[in-house]
Amino acid sequence: MTNQAADRPPVDMAAFHAACEAATAYATHPVWEYEPFWLDHRKIRADHYAHMSRNDPALLAYTQSPEKGLRGIFTPIKPGRYLTKYFAGVLSEREIAFYAAWQSTGSKGSEWTDAARYPMTFASSSAGIVSVYERGPQSCMKGMSCVSVYGAGDLAIAYLTKGEDAGGQVLARALVWPDKKVLGRVYPSGSHWRAEGFVSETASEACSQALMVRLIAEGYHTDTTSRGFNGARLTREDEGAGYYAMPYLDHDYQVTDTGDHFVMGQRGDLLADTTNGRLRVEEEWEEEDIRWRCDRCGDAMDEDDTRRVYTRWNAHDGPYGEADWCGDCEANHTFFCDGLDAVFSSRQDSICVDGERGYHRGWAENNGAYECDHTANWCFREDHPPVTMANGDTWSPEAFHIDGFTCAITGGNYHRRAAHPDLHTVCSDVSAEDIAMHLAMTAFETILDTNQLELTV
């Protein structure tokens, strides 16, 4: 009995790819084409040429095999079924459901627009506002008690929670001025989506967008001029030694001290641009008064000894959360980011790329850095194009050159330990029948090459 699959001639893969590229040249790609799971696991879907079905936009279409692709056959499939079939080892069930719904409906934020499941609430008291910040989402002021100053009577925090968990995690929040219907920056920003429990950065951004849309539906307008909060009062909470509680204010707002309150404005007497939760108010300085203190350790320092240190970074704002530190704190508790030419607090994640230069991890990843799963070394994609292994790991080309190989039969990339004991260019998982066929084809090609050489001579 003959093996029909073995009897079929191998598919010309160059012709296959040319045919599929021509057939899908004007097709619409899946909505998740720029999501990390799709970009980082190209090997899984390289021969699928998945795209939106021309007959039914709610479905995808893809090639099930090179033979079908060469004949121009694209099979329709539901997005969720496709992701489950090929990406179940990469995505969770929750992530698959999110991406499938996004592809089918074209909307990535519909889940959080449901007011019954995710009610919008307002916190206006100091204690209530502190509670919201403690429960999320991530920002430089998360868990800081200084946000209590928003409870002076003018401002409030609008936020979303799960309906059955009203006292639990805060999914999204924004500073608002209810009487003037002003809406400030909305969080989450997308930078910490894993820690916040979202399935992707896109889902995180969709949640913040949902809060904004619901506020706008109630008559709020965004603070596009960065003057909408001018005149808003903040409580004046004395912490002693000339310091007062003060959060970092977005959009470069400053404050004026009226004696009873601090008042927000674009032109104030005092800056509110540090993330240590304190504001230094200088009153009737005597000659011996200390005018400069390190924002980290609180020690006195000369003005000439101050060092500008950043405590946060995200892709939207770049470095932010400026603080003035003394030379000792800068020397022992910071790192320099070569890509941003800025000094960051060591509480931020730093990495060493190419074995030499230090970088803020968030900036580096946003600019193409990746960690080799084999050596744990960081590299930039542009300088060191990554190699995707058969198991989905990412290796640097240097690591692959030393410890990896490409299977001559499957075309997959493997660690050298996975090579067949007798054939070092073939992985050990390949069947004996496939190995025999490979050896036969190799011998046949060698004969053809020899005959061609003899004819040439």
Side-chain angles (χ1 to χ4, degrees), residues 25 35-36 62 72 98 101 126 133 165 253 270 289 297 302 317 344 355 384 388:
E35 292 294 292
Y62 78 110
F98 168 78
S126 292
Y133 274 80
D165 192 21
Y253 276 99
L270 302 163
D289 283 338
C297 67
D302 294 330
D317 300 308
F344 284 88
H384 307 271
T388 302

Side-chain angles (χ1 to χ4, degrees), residues 336-339 350-361 363-365 367-371 376-384:
F336 179 77
C337 176
D338 191 71
S350 63
I351 59 174
C352 184
V353 180
D354 295 337
E356 338 182 305
R357 297 167 293 174
Y359 292 90
H360 186 287
R361 177 171 178 168
W363 180 88
E365 290 182 319
N367 284 272
Y370 68 93
E371 184 178 19
N377 293 330
W378 284 84
C379 309
F380 281 112
R381 293 175 184 272
E382 184 176 353
D383 301 326
H384 307 271

Side-chain angles (χ1 to χ4, degrees), residues 175-177 181-186 212 216 220-230 250-253 264 266:
L175 180 69
V176 297
W177 194 342
K181 297 295 183 182
V182 178
L183 162 63
R185 182 177 176 181
V186 182
M212 180 185 292
I216 291 174
Y220 283 82
H221 60 276
T222 57
D223 184 24
T224 54
T225 62
S226 295
R227 293 193 295 270
F229 289 105
N230 283 359
D250 288 321
H251 304 306
D252 299 319
Y253 276 99
M264 293 176 63
Q266 283 299 308

Side-chain angles (χ1 to χ4, degrees), residues 129-148 173 247 275-277 312 347:
I129 291 171
V130 170
S131 175
V132 169
Y133 274 80
E134 287 176 345
R135 293 182 283 141
Q138 297 288 329
S139 76
C140 61
M141 290 292 105
K142 186 177 187 299
M144 300 283 280
S145 61
C146 60
V147 297
S148 61
R173 62 169 165 80
T275 58
N276 62 1
R312 294 288 188 277
R347 296 183 65 180

